[in-house]
Amino acid sequence: EELVARVKTLRRLHETRKELESRRLAAEVERKEAIRKTFSRYISPRLADRIIGDAGKGDDIFTKAHRSNVVALFADLRGFTRLTDQTEVGRVVEMLNEYFSILSEAAYRHEATIFNMAGDALLVGFNVPFPQSNPAERAYLCAQEMLTRFAPVARPWEKEQGLGTGVGIGICMGEAVIGNVGSPHYMGYTIIGNPVNSAARLMQLAQPYEVLICDRVFEELRSIVPKEQVEPRGDVTLRGFSDTWVGPGPATGNGWPLS
């Protein structure tokens, strides 16, 4: 009877352990899925899987503010305000969704983090939330893909609405603060600092299908951009950056850094 009682006790303990382990695994799956859903707002599925795969890293990477060297890319749709004034509301939303789909897919392919979509502007970052190889090159190639893929979409828009459009892009590099900013009611993961402000200013100066970059980004790209494809735009004073470069404008449908 004592042996039978011990066996029953051990069996109950075994079943309890199995139940606890099953609950732990279910909780872990639920936790990772919650992290994946959060990450999917900002980064590509491949990057999300990589972060989740690093034990413990996914728990605090979006909760702890820190400083890091980043490459900020701002893209803006030129002439869209005029398009919205004369276009049916539903069509405006369709066009914006098509535009942002093209840009965000290009960002994902080059492993960028999407920080903000506001109006017709998009902010993405490289070398964040963790270090990447050649972030300036990634940003440059991403910008080229954005312009190349949007051009054939813009042409029927222009025929439909009778107004020209195009994407202007600014890229800058430097130290920024990364973290969740907002209130208890609304909070967003973002980057703050000079490279972001300068990229935004360069974006505003860019013509349709132009990419303007700051001096630090240009130095990083000297080895990959053919010399014959660059030319000076001139000095533009931006916070901490005295020189910028831009590539050929709408005639080529492509942007290149200029020396």
Side-chain angles (χ1 to χ4, degrees):
E1 290 180 359
E2 182 179 355
L3 178 60
V4 171
R6 288 183 178 180
V7 170
K8 288 181 178 179
T9 299
L10 290 173
R11 183 174 180 180
R12 285 196 299 270
L13 288 173
H14 177 68
E15 294 297 328
T16 300
R17 289 195 187 98
K18 285 180 61 178
E19 183 179 353
L20 290 174
E21 179 64 15
S22 177
R23 290 180 182 178
R24 186 191 68 80
L25 291 174
E28 180 68 12
V29 169
E30 184 177 351
R31 182 186 69 85
K32 288 187 175 183
E33 185 59 28
I35 293 173
R36 188 188 304 277
K37 288 180 179 179
T38 300
F39 285 4
S40 64
R41 296 174 56 193
Y42 310 110
I43 60 179
S44 67
R46 183 168 63 175
L47 283 183
D49 290 338
R50 176 178 170 183
I51 294 173
I52 292 172
D54 293 340
K57 193 171 184 179
D59 293 324
D60 59 17
I61 197 166
F62 283 156
T63 59
K64 293 183 179 179
H66 61 284
R67 291 182 183 273
S68 181
N69 192 51
V70 305
V71 178
L73 183 155
F74 254 114
D76 179 73
L77 185 57
R78 296 292 183 260
F80 196 73
T81 300
R82 288 176 297 162
L83 287 176
T84 59
D85 290 340
Q86 62 183 49
T87 307
E88 188 270 328
V89 175
R91 179 60 178 145
V92 170
V93 173
E94 289 177 0
M95 295 166 77
L96 275 177
N97 288 341
E98 188 174 15
Y99 161 73
F100 279 124
S101 294
I102 291 171
L103 268 60
S104 60
E105 287 170 8
Y108 281 170
R109 267 191 289 275
H110 296 279
E111 299 191 337
T113 297
I114 296 177
F115 286 102
N116 190 31
M117 291 181 182
D120 54 15
L122 174 72
L123 169 62
V124 304
F126 298 83
N127 211 46
V128 60
F130 48 77
Q132 293 174 311
S133 61
N134 306 317
E137 181 178 348
R138 289 175 186 267
Y140 165 72
L141 295 175
C142 179
Q144 297 303 306
E145 182 172 341
M146 287 177 174
L147 299 186
T148 301
R149 296 191 64 212
F150 180 70
V153 173
R155 284 193 286 270
W157 289 12
E158 293 171 353
K159 291 181 180 179
E160 175 185 336
Q161 303 298 332
L163 292 172
T165 186
V167 181
I169 296 177
I171 304 175
C172 204
M173 183 177 187
E175 187 177 74
V177 174
I178 301 100
N180 283 297
V181 176
S183 72
H185 303 290
Y186 178 82
M187 189 167 290
Y189 184 65
T190 191
I191 49 177
I192 305 166
N194 263 344
V196 182
N197 298 336
S198 297
R201 178 59 177 148
L202 291 172
M203 173 200 71
Q204 293 168 354
L205 296 173
Q207 297 299 312
Y209 300 105
E210 280 187 339
V211 179
L212 274 69
I213 64 175
C214 70
D215 51 355
R216 286 191 62 184
V217 174
F218 179 74
E219 290 301 322
E220 294 287 327
L221 297 177
R222 280 185 183 273
S223 62
I224 68 168
V225 179
K227 190 174 182 179
E228 63 274 12
Q229 293 179 334
V230 298
E231 63 184 72
R233 156 64 71 89
D235 295 345
V236 178
T237 301
L238 300 174
R239 299 178 182 179
F241 300 99
S242 60
D243 301 300
T244 60
W245 293 267
V246 65
T252 65
N254 234 330
W256 295 89
L258 306 181
S259 63

